[in-house]
Amino acid sequence: MIIFALFIVIGVLALVGLVLIGLPLLILMAILPPFLTLAGIILTVKALMDKPILGENFYPAAACLVMSALIRWIF
């Protein structure tokens, strides 16, 4: 009976630990794609305003938009 109670206590502690780790991660994955999309749009406009317009200026914007799409596709 004591072993069964010990398993219950260990299970509850593991569950609490997983919730404390997983919940902030879940919130971050919900908030991150819109912010990455907004950053990608802002960086695209910034790259278009630079003179001369170079392809290298679009790399950060493309990275933000790809990461946003990848996070939305995975989660």
Side-chain angles (χ1 to χ4, degrees), residues 1-73:
M1 190 69 169
I2 291 182
I3 293 175
F4 183 66
L6 186 63
F7 281 150
I8 290 175
V9 169
I10 290 172
V12 168
L13 289 176
L15 183 65
V16 168
L18 287 173
V19 166
L20 289 177
I21 292 170
L23 193 60
L25 204 60
L26 182 68
I27 292 170
L28 180 68
M29 289 302 149
I31 293 174
L32 199 56
F35 284 132
L36 282 172
T37 303
L38 182 64
I41 292 169
I42 291 171
L43 287 171
T44 301
V45 171
K46 180 188 173 293
L48 288 171
M49 294 173 86
D50 285 344
K51 298 293 181 197
I53 296 176
L54 300 174
E56 296 89 19
N57 295 340
F58 291 97
Y59 290 162
C64 285
L65 293 172
V66 167
M67 285 190 302
S68 173
L70 191 65
I71 290 173
R72 288 177 196 226
W73 180 68

